[in-house]
Structures are given as C-alpha cells and as structure tokens.
Amino acid sequence: MGCTLAYKILREHLISGDLRPGEEITIRIDQTLTQDSTGTMVYLQLEAMDADMVKTELSVAYIDHNTLQTGFENADDHAFIKSVAARHGILFSKPGGGICHQLHLENYGIPGKTLLGSDSHTPTGGGLGMIAIGAGGLDVAVAMAQGTYSLTVPKVLGIELTGALRPWVSAKDVILHVLKEISVKGGVGKIVEYFGGGVGALSVTDRATIANMGAEHGATTSVFPSDENTEAYLGQQRRGGEYVPLSADPDAAYDEILRVDLSALEPLAAMPHSPDNVDAVKNIGRIKVDQVAIGSCTNSSYTDLMKAAAILKGRKVHPNVSLVISPGSACILSKIASNGALADLIDAGARIIENACGPCIGMGQSPRSGAVSLRTFNRNFKGRSGTNDADVYLVSPETAAVSAVTGVLTDGFAEGTALGISLPEIAAETFERKDNFVVYPPAEGGGEVVMGPNIKPFPRGNALPDAVEGEIVLVAGDNITTDDIMPSDSRLLPYRSNIPYLSNYCFEKIDAGFAARAKKADGGVIVGGDNYGQGSSREHAALVPLYLGIRMVLAKSFARIHRSNLINSGILPLVFEQHGDYDKMKAGGALVLADADAQIDRNIIIVNDKGTGAEYRFLNTLTDIEKRMIRAGGKINMIRQGD
Ligand code: MIC
Ligand code: SF4
C-alpha cells in the first residue's frame, strides 16, 4: 500500500519514534509562528529556558490579536515581543501587517515544510501542502529553542473531493459540510488529508479556508497536495521558486475515507453556538440580520474580498445591517485600494477596519443585544463576539455579502443573483512583495528585554505529590471551549501576560462563582464531559486553573491542544473509563488519587471519593514524556531539570 502525503512529510522530518498511529514521535520543525495574545507567554517561556538563537529555519512573531490598544497593556506586550524576537533571531511582524495565518500563507509557507504555531488555526498552511500544527505556547517556545516537537502519531482521514463547486458555493461551504458530517470532535487524533479530482478545482486560498477550519473538528492538522494551483499561488506571491510538487501515492492507505461531491454542495451556515450545527441557508430561512462581518484568518483573502466587492458594487448595505470588513493583510488592502474594489465596498456602506483578528475574538464590533450576526469566521461559541446573547452564524463571503444587502440570511444561488466576478482572472493577478511591516532581527541577536508593568511572571507547577486530592469545584458539560474556560474579549485580552488578573474571570461566562470557589478550595478538581477544552490553543486555559490551584481535570475526552497544555502545566488530565461515572461526580465532593507516583505508570488510574471511599477508574493516556512532565510539575520544570 502507498503512503499518504501527511506521512511522507512526517517521515521526512522524523527524528525519533515509529511512524505508526498511537506511537509518540519527535519531528523536526522548520518554521514557527506566534501571535501576540499567546506570544507574550511564549516569549516569557523562551526567556525562562535561557534559549539562544532559534533553531528553526524561520520563526515569525506576528501582532494581530491585541491591536485595539485601549490602554498601555497591548502596546507594552508588542514592545516586549519585539525585543525578545530581536534577541533570538525571530522576524517581527508589526500590528497592521495582517492576520498571522494569512500573512504566513502569503509570505513564508512552503510546501512540504513543517510549521508549529501558537494558534489553533496554524493548519491554514495545509492549504500549501505543509504539515502545519497548532500547539500551546510552551511547545512552540521549545520548538524555537530546540527545533523539535513531539506528538502522538495521528491516524489519517482521507477526504476525497470530486466535482467542482457551483457559483455561490465556496470553500467555506466545503468545510461546513465536513463539520456537519464529522462534528466538532470528529477530527481528534487524526490528520485530515484531501485528495481526488475535486482538489484541482480549489485554489490555494480555498484550500487554506478548509484547512484553517479543520481546527473546528479537532484534527491535528489538515493537508492538501501541492500542485499546479500551488505553483500558481506561489507565482502570484512572487515566490514561484519555492514550489515543490507533492501528493500522496495513488494507492495511499487512509485509515478512514469520507467522500464529498463538490458539485452537490449548496450554501451552508453554522447556526448558534457551534461550528458543527450546520444546515443549508435555504432551510434556515430568511432570518433578519443585524450585523455582517467579513474577515478573519478563514475568509479574508484577496479572492474573498473581491467576491464581496463584486456583490456589493453599485448596491447599498441594508439600513438595519452594520457591515464590517477586516482584510487579511496590508498587501490585500493595498491591492483592493489600488484596483477600486475598496471604493466599491465603502460606497456600498461597509465599515473597513484594521487588518487584524478584530471582531473574530471580540476585539471590537460586538453586536447589539440579541442580535443576529453573520460572520465569515470560524467559531461561533456563545459570547465570543463580546455579546453574550447574540446569535452568530458562520457563512461564506458570498452569503455574507448578499445578506448584507438584503438584510436577511440569503442563499444567492437560490435567488439566481449574478455573482459578477471571474475567479480565474483573480487567480492570475500578481502581488508586489512588500515587507513594510516586517522588522528583521540583527544577525547576531541579543539586546535588552523590554518589559512593561502589566507583564507578570507565569505560574509554575510543583512536582507530583504523593496524593493528588481536592474538592470538585466544577462539573461541566460536553464540548467546553477554551473560551468558556478563559474568556478572551476586548476586556480581557489585554491581560494575556497577567495570569493573576485573568484568574478572576476563569469560567466567568458559565459559572461566575468559579474563581472564588477554586481559590478557597486551594487544590480543586475540574470535571468535564466529552471534548473538554475544544477550540483555541491558549495555554491560559491551563495556566489560570494552575494558578487557582487545580491539579487534576477528569473528563470523558479531551481536545488535543488543551490536553497538552494541561500536561505542560503539570495538571493531570484523566479520562473516565466508564462514562456513567461522570454522572456520579458532584460539585463539592472530594476526591483523592493516592500513591500518585506509582499510579502514574499504570494503564488504569484509581481515584477515590474521600467521603464514601467509592472507586472510579480512569484511563491513563500519558506518553512517557508526558509522565515525566507530570512528575516534574510541568514541561519547563522538566527541561530545567535537564530531563
Ligand atoms: C482563537 O481564534 O480562539 C484565537 C484567539 O486565535 C486562539 C488563540 C488565543 O486564544 O490567543 C486560537 O485559536 O488558538
Ligand atoms: Fe484571529 Fe480569529 Fe483567526 Fe483566531 S480565529 S487567529 S482570533 S482571526
């Protein structure tokens, strides 16, 4: 049987371990990226490791999340990141340059390379044929310091694409369809690899949209072949020389296969409050819309904005709708400014905001109370927009633009509206390579670290005690997101380098009393359902609980990045062997994991109820390296002990 593309790239980068599903391997990391809201922590950790110049071929520190600068905090973080980047040979991408994933695709992504990023949407690079993985900040810091990353080998889910998309149906609808099919946890433990005749009908930015939102089904990453469309895209970006053709063997053995006929797809939308709550736009109906937002790392490419401009040209945004557009990069904004498309958007009544994450992470543009907001983004978790009772629908740029005009959720295809754009013409255009927003590090590195008053030391775990015990401070349900655990909006994002401050808001949106209870319990246990910790890569969702004294999280299953972040912080994630035991967990009860050092080596870990003595069995999913981390009280401690 032949080899998948994913395994070919992993094999190329294998340093140690067996490339078989479930085995732990260490791979070489060619490139890393960070963004500012996880980056401050990454660079504090890099400094704490006494690292020298980075060991990667390329590392870039982007500023794109915290760009509101309502106080000194964000700007201080930017200055800190810039100073550390210079010290270690890291490129610094200033605020205003654009969104990290779009910028990386345009400027630095190379087929066949590995990329590790401190953001869950790093897999966007899979659109260029990279193995691009999102990880917690500490893993990215280690990758910069050592040039390596360890992971459990995922299975490969092959998605065979056939046919071609009809007008008004776009890449967003492909990934929404996949999410509907496999759910928000269907990709956990897998790499999703696209193949088949339909791949050629998708441009690199289409592929990037699909790979980007693979984060929403929990996959380790998603990857597309590198073909003539890849060559054309790199040529457009004046990087034609970096093209490498790559594909799976024709008889590649996939662990599972899902087939998607592109020609059968129609405009879709993810309804509140989950990216997999998907239905056809025409089935949802013509609901009244208050806000439309076009942008984010999923749908802010040049093509996406050109489509929106073509739909809006000569029309007017509905009086009840606020349309807001955030281009993916300065390069895209400059291009639409010079070709007149920007004027078409503004003349239609669009609000143009900075090339940054912006409303996607609640940094401004929160909709009004009870609003319906259509967004081309990737996550519609409750409250993420900054308005707790808003209903956010995730849609394609086409659906967003036409709905902004009609004022109701609209299926442009069903309406028979003309799209008025030639996609091949757009794909043939070239961009000037500009690096006006990039600061290159001095060849020799070095320089002072610039540290503002909002930047506080990060918490470190303690070595594993004889017994891990504590009160159950929270019993949460299924699919708890990291936005639930550690909310991040314009109010809290400026405090990403201040864990003590953030700790007051842990679980705020679902349980306002959590922080106070956890502080009082001083060593609590969190209980979660399935897919605990889905969503972002923010390690604050582990560091804040650590700061609050949490030492153990029990769940039916964990999302990949959050599970690693817990372990990196020295917090033990245990999986219920019997899901029925979850129902027996009551807030206020007390649990103990006795003889912890010995138990950590067993396949089944026993936890007892301190009151009744009742016994609960948990699966131990820790790899050997992870056991060492838990024993040391976290990854940094392990590294500093020279382990
Ligand atoms: C997100 O989309 O949730 C974020 C904000 O980009 C996060 C990173 C963060 O919390 O800083 C992510 O996706 O990893
Ligand atoms: Fe930024 Fe949103 Fe993309 Fe996260 S998902 S990187 S907040 S644009």
Side-chain angles (χ1 to χ4, degrees), residues 35 64-65 99-101 119-121 212 296-298 356-357 360-361 377-379 384:
Q35 41 88 338
D64 57 358
H65 282 61
I99 306 174
C100 58
H101 307 303
D119 190 279
S120 65
H121 292 103
N212 170 287
S296 90
C297 56
T298 313
C357 299
C360 177
I361 187 59
F377 307 167
N378 46 41
R379 293 188 170 139
R384 183 176 158 100

Side-chain angles (χ1 to χ4, degrees), residues 105 121 124 127 170-173 175 203-214 216 224 297-301 304 376 378 397:
L105 196 76
H121 292 103
T124 312
S170 70
K172 182 58 150 278
D173 301 303
I175 187 62
S203 67
V204 164
T205 52
D206 289 339
R207 297 173 189 179
T209 294
I210 295 169
N212 170 287
M213 260 189 98
E216 273 50 74
F224 278 84
C297 56
T298 313
N299 275 121
S300 60
S301 68
D304 288 338
T376 65
N378 46 41

Side-chain angles (χ1 to χ4, degrees), residues 312-597:
L312 287 157
K313 189 179 167 87
R315 297 193 172 110
K316 189 174 168 188
V317 173
H318 190 276
N320 296 337
V321 174
S322 171
L323 170 64
V324 53
I325 298 182
S326 38
S329 72
C331 180
I332 295 170
L333 179 58
S334 160
K335 183 98 176 162
I336 62 172
S338 57
N339 71 10
L342 181 62
D344 295 336
L345 294 169
I346 296 170
D347 291 347
R351 303 167 67 179
I352 309 297
I353 57 169
E354 193 172 15
N355 318 313
C357 299
C360 177
I361 187 59
M363 289 301 270
Q365 310 299 325
S366 297
R368 71 165 174 79
S369 300
V372 168
S373 175
L374 301 190
R375 299 176 160 217
T376 65
F377 307 167
N378 46 41
R379 293 188 170 139
N380 59 347
F381 303 142
K382 192 169 164 50
R384 183 176 158 100
S385 66
T387 304
N388 220 22
D389 63 357
D391 277 346
V392 175
Y393 291 71
L394 306 176
V395 296
S396 69
E398 290 91 325
T399 301
V402 69
S403 305
V405 174
T406 58
V408 290
L409 179 64
T410 304
D411 175 337
F413 184 70
E415 299 255 316
T417 321
L419 194 51
I421 195 169
S422 160
L423 294 178
E425 269 173 37
I426 292 178
E429 289 186 43
T430 49
F431 294 83
E432 286 310 312
R433 279 211 87 185
K434 292 195 186 125
D435 59 1
N436 304 353
F437 285 85
V438 179
V439 179
Y440 296 97
E444 67 292 355
E448 287 303 305
V449 176
V450 178
M451 189 89 88
N454 183 45
I455 301 178
K456 305 281 184 245
F458 59 91
R460 299 261 284 267
N462 298 317
L464 187 70
D466 292 341
V468 184
E469 50 194 324
E471 175 188 328
I472 302 177
V473 282
L474 179 74
V475 180
D478 288 343
N479 296 321
I480 289 294
T481 70
T482 53
D483 290 64
D484 295 326
I485 304 169
M486 195 54 256
S488 271
D489 52 18
S490 56
R491 204 178 32 122
L492 293 179
L493 217 49
Y495 296 94
R496 281 299 186 88
S497 42
N498 187 342
I499 298 289
Y501 182 87
L502 283 184
S503 71
N504 299 314
Y505 302 92
C506 190
F507 281 108
E508 185 201 29
K509 286 195 171 122
I510 57 174
D511 181 349
F514 175 83
R517 229 170 34 246
K519 271 187 192 148
K520 191 154 162 257
D522 190 24
V525 178
I526 293 173
V527 177
D530 248 331
N531 201 23
Y532 179 82
Q534 70 159 329
S536 88
S537 67
R538 74 189 65 137
E539 55 192 351
H540 306 74
L543 289 173
V544 166
L546 173 70
Y547 179 82
L548 291 171
I550 303 296
R551 196 58 220 250
M552 182 156 78
V553 180
L554 315 174
K556 290 183 189 168
S557 65
F558 289 88
R560 176 185 64 91
I561 307 180
H562 184 60
R563 176 184 172 281
S564 297
N565 285 340
L566 288 172
I567 297 166
N568 287 350
S569 310
I571 300 177
L572 194 53
L574 294 180
V575 176
F576 284 99
E577 189 195 35
Q578 307 292 336
H579 282 192
D581 282 350
Y582 165 87
D583 301 318
K584 297 181 188 148
M585 300 290 130
K586 299 284 175 260
L591 299 173
V592 56
L593 188 172
D595 206 3
D597 191 61

Side-chain angles (χ1 to χ4, degrees), residues 61-293:
Y62 295 96
I63 307 290
D64 57 358
H65 282 61
N66 284 307
T67 59
L68 272 186
Q69 297 171 223
T70 46
F72 64 89
E73 293 87 356
N74 292 164
D76 279 7
D77 282 354
H78 302 169
F80 165 71
I81 292 174
K82 183 167 178 245
S83 69
V84 179
R87 281 165 62 78
H88 300 281
I90 300 162
L91 268 63
F92 177 76
S93 172
K94 289 159 76 177
I99 306 174
C100 58
H101 307 303
Q102 177 63 36
L103 283 174
H104 209 83
L105 196 76
E106 284 175 9
N107 300 301
Y108 305 115
I110 299 177
K113 297 275 181 190
T114 52
L115 166 69
L116 196 74
S118 68
D119 190 279
S120 65
H121 292 103
T122 303
T124 312
L128 267 179
M130 303 183 84
I131 287 293
I133 302 177
L138 181 51
D139 286 323
V140 179
V142 171
M144 285 190 272
Q146 300 177 354
T148 62
Y149 176 60
S150 300
L151 74 161
T152 302
V153 179
K155 291 183 175 165
V156 184
L157 162 60
I159 300 195
E160 182 177 13
L161 302 177
T162 54
L165 296 171
R166 298 179 291 174
W168 288 97
V169 186
S170 70
K172 182 58 150 278
D173 301 303
V174 179
I175 187 62
L176 289 176
H177 172 79
V178 171
L179 272 154
K180 184 182 173 146
E181 291 291 310
I182 72 173
S183 91
V184 286
K185 56 184 178 128
V188 178
K190 299 170 195 168
I191 293 179
V192 174
E193 179 168 318
Y194 290 84
F195 70 102
V199 168
L202 299 172
S203 67
V204 164
T205 52
D206 289 339
R207 297 173 189 179
T209 294
I210 295 169
N212 170 287
M213 260 189 98
E216 273 50 74
H217 53 57
T220 303
T221 188
S222 301
V223 64
F224 278 84
S226 169
D227 58 12
E228 57 278 13
N229 294 2
T230 320
E231 188 173 16
Y233 178 80
L234 290 171
Q236 246 190 318
Q237 304 297 334
R238 312 268 187 207
R239 301 199 286 128
E242 290 171 357
Y243 171 63
V244 189
L246 291 170
S247 60
D249 291 335
D251 59 344
Y254 293 102
D255 296 293
E256 293 163 61
I257 290 191
L258 176 74
R259 296 199 161 80
V260 179
D261 176 5
L262 298 176
S263 8
L265 296 181
E266 54 186 336
L268 300 172
M271 299 177 286
H273 298 284
S274 178
D276 63 355
N277 188 17
V278 172
D279 202 351
V281 166
K282 72 174 190 307
N283 295 343
I284 300 168
R286 295 172 67 83
I287 50 171
K288 211 168 142 296
V289 171
D290 303 281
Q291 183 191 52
V292 175

